[in-house]
Amino acid sequence: MIAIEGGVTAAKGFKAAGVRCGIKQKGLDLAVICSESQCTAAGVFTTNAFKAASVVSNVARLTFGRAQAVVVNSGNANACTGEQGLRDVRSICELAGELLGVPEGAVLNASTGIIGVPLPMDKIEAGVRDAVAALSESGWESASQAIMTTDTVPKTSAYEFEVGGKTVRIGGMCKGAGMICPNMATMLCFITTDASISAKLLREALVSSVERSFNSLTVDGDMSTNDSVILLANGRSNCPEIAENSPELETFEKALEQVCLDLAIACARDGEGATKYVQVRVVNAASYEDAKSAAMTIANSPLVKTAVFGEDPNWGRVLCAAGRSQAKVVPEKTSLYFGDVKIVENGEPLKIDADAARKPMLENDLTITVDLGVGYSSATAFTCDFSYDYVKINAEYHT
């Protein structure tokens, strides 16, 4: 597996474009992704009860696992907009389908931005026309910029690998910097591949990959109305169809999970106001579920996150978070590390020089490892610190 450029258009037969239609005060704000042929498709969406109109629509449209294009806007979430929001989604998909020459039902839609405000349909319709006219294989960069809200950088990833002697590519783009906590959060991700694979296997692979990437990601513990991960596979690599329980499926799953991990980690690094990227590893837990529960509880703890920002090796906050998780925790078997420095062993602090204990906290990337000592399972959560700027950004983000 080799890392390549190209993001969402790295795979054969995909084009994209990002344009400005004026939803946001500045910058690109509408993107279109399209395959030259019909795709098998899968999606994983928010579990928030207040689902955006696009999420409701996409769940229905993906019932049969087919799609060909996606229209994405930033600056307006089209959430809590009632029947009008659903009608607007249908209008967007109808227009895009007409312009692209594909069935309206094969067009998906996604939105991100302010909640509770109707879409400015005149601007969006003009944007769809402009984006369709601008579609190209090199449009991945503008498309990745057009889906950003409070993100500071675009986020893309792509790889190529072999299936049956054919080169297969997979690539994606995502946005997300705040309101991020499983299951996913104001996080939109679009992945494309030219592999040949059934809708059933595609969905199973996506669900598995999302579990260990986006659903292990948290910036601030808030879950969005709009989270979406959408995966399209058009088979244009001409590789043999990937079969169930095959080595080829394992190879595809590995590549898909790596794209998801790259993008999830990019979201954590770009967390609103973040100054540090934090990886929380929980090892030797009684089960994967226990390991993930402990890792996510630690990663979501405001006390832990502010201690990281303050570069304070406050091990008590970490153990406190692990102890209140749903995981089986036996204090006298628990050890803790900041970076490579062991701070706690068998539930008690070690006698360590203060400067040595603080040294890992000074790095831009920090790994916190908690060894529960009660089993053989592990899990990793991806997060960032809480800074003064996080409060400022969200205090100024008005409806």
Side-chain angles (χ1 to χ4, degrees):
M1 185 169 63
I2 303 171
I4 58 173
E5 288 193 338
V8 81
T9 61
K12 290 181 181 178
F14 285 97
K15 296 180 179 180
V19 300
R20 172 165 174 75
C21 68
I23 305 172
K24 298 190 300 191
Q25 292 183 354
K26 61 181 180 179
L28 307 182
D29 49 18
L30 189 138
V32 171
I33 307 161
C34 186
S35 169
E36 294 175 355
S37 56
Q38 185 101 166
C39 305
T40 54
V44 178
F45 302 99
T46 183
T47 57
N48 194 309
F50 285 96
K51 293 176 175 61
S54 59
V55 172
V56 174
S57 173
N58 289 340
V59 169
R61 287 167 184 261
L62 286 172
T63 300
F64 300 106
R66 308 291 292 182
Q68 193 168 344
V70 188
V71 178
V72 192
N73 75 268
S74 59
N76 185 310
N78 193 20
C80 301
T81 49
E83 287 298 320
Q84 183 61 52
L86 292 170
R87 286 194 295 270
D88 288 344
V89 170
R90 286 194 294 272
S91 295
I92 292 168
C93 294
E94 287 172 359
L95 175 61
E98 178 184 337
L99 295 172
L100 294 167
V102 306
E104 177 265 333
V107 181
L108 305 177
N109 175 238
S111 298
T112 179
I114 293 173
I115 294 173
V117 179
L119 289 173
M121 288 301 291
D122 55 337
K123 294 179 179 179
I124 286 181
E125 288 170 0
V128 171
R129 294 181 186 278
D130 290 344
V132 169
L135 284 171
S136 73
E137 293 176 358
S138 61
W140 59 280
E141 289 183 293
S142 62
S144 65
Q145 294 166 14
I147 65 174
M148 295 165 56
T149 51
T150 57
D151 307 65
T152 64
V153 293
K155 303 166 181 67
T156 65
S157 174
Y159 291 88
E160 67 178 25
F161 53 97
E162 283 200 1
V163 171
K166 298 290 186 180
T167 297
V168 176
R169 292 182 171 186
I170 185 168
M173 65 180 187
C174 78
K175 62 82 52 182
M179 200 184 279
I180 289 185
C181 178
N183 295 304
M184 299 180 300
T186 303
M187 200 283 305
L188 301 182
C189 177
F190 309 96
I191 303 171
T192 60
T193 179
D194 49 23
S196 178
I197 183 171
S198 70
K200 175 180 177 292
L201 293 183
L202 195 71
R203 173 163 176 77
E204 290 174 355
L206 182 62
V207 169
S208 176
S209 294
V210 166
E211 167 61 23
R212 293 183 181 272
S213 56
F214 296 114
N215 280 355
S216 297
L217 164 68
T218 179
V219 167
D220 50 19
D222 273 323
M223 185 192 300
S224 160
T225 54
N226 292 59
D227 319 339
S228 303
V229 179
I230 293 170
L231 172 58
L232 305 178
N234 65 8
R236 294 298 294 272
S237 67
N238 294 318
C239 74
E241 181 168 338
I242 294 173
E244 194 166 10
N245 299 320
S246 66
E248 292 77 14
L249 180 59
E250 289 184 14
T251 300
F252 176 78
E253 289 173 335
K254 182 179 178 181
L256 173 60
E257 183 167 320
Q258 190 60 56
V259 169
C260 290
L261 280 170
D262 287 352
L263 296 175
I265 290 170
C267 287
R269 289 188 181 280
D270 195 31
E272 290 173 345
T275 68
K276 297 181 185 294
Y277 165 66
V278 184
Q279 195 167 269
V280 180
R281 297 175 61 246
V282 174
V283 300
N284 296 322
S287 66
Y288 168 74
E289 290 75 18
D290 273 17
K292 185 175 180 183
S293 174
M296 290 303 298
T297 304
I298 295 166
N300 270 319
S301 168
L303 291 178
V304 172
K305 291 159 74 70
T306 50
V308 172
F309 173 64
E311 299 178 336
D312 174 19
N314 194 320
W315 55 268
R317 294 183 180 185
V318 178
L319 293 187
C320 181
R324 66 179 169 83
S325 73
Q326 298 301 308
K328 177 182 178 181
V329 176
V330 179
E332 56 268 26
K333 293 184 178 181
T334 302
S335 298
L336 182 149
Y337 299 76
F338 287 132
D340 295 327
V341 180
K342 181 181 274 191
I343 305 293
V344 174
E345 184 175 57
N346 297 327
E348 296 184 11
L350 297 174
K351 293 181 179 180
I352 300 173
D353 176 77
D355 288 339
R358 188 167 182 255
K359 185 177 179 181
M361 313 300 292
L362 304 179
E363 302 293 330
N364 290 331
D365 290 10
L366 171 67
T367 298
I368 299 173
T369 303
V370 176
D371 185 339
L372 294 180
V374 294
Y376 302 98
S377 297
S378 63
T380 301
F382 313 102
T383 190
C384 58
D385 60 349
F386 264 167
S387 71
Y388 306 127
D389 283 343
Y390 175 84
V391 177
K392 186 174 186 292
I393 290 167
N394 283 280
E396 294 176 354
Y397 192 83
H398 296 300
T399 57

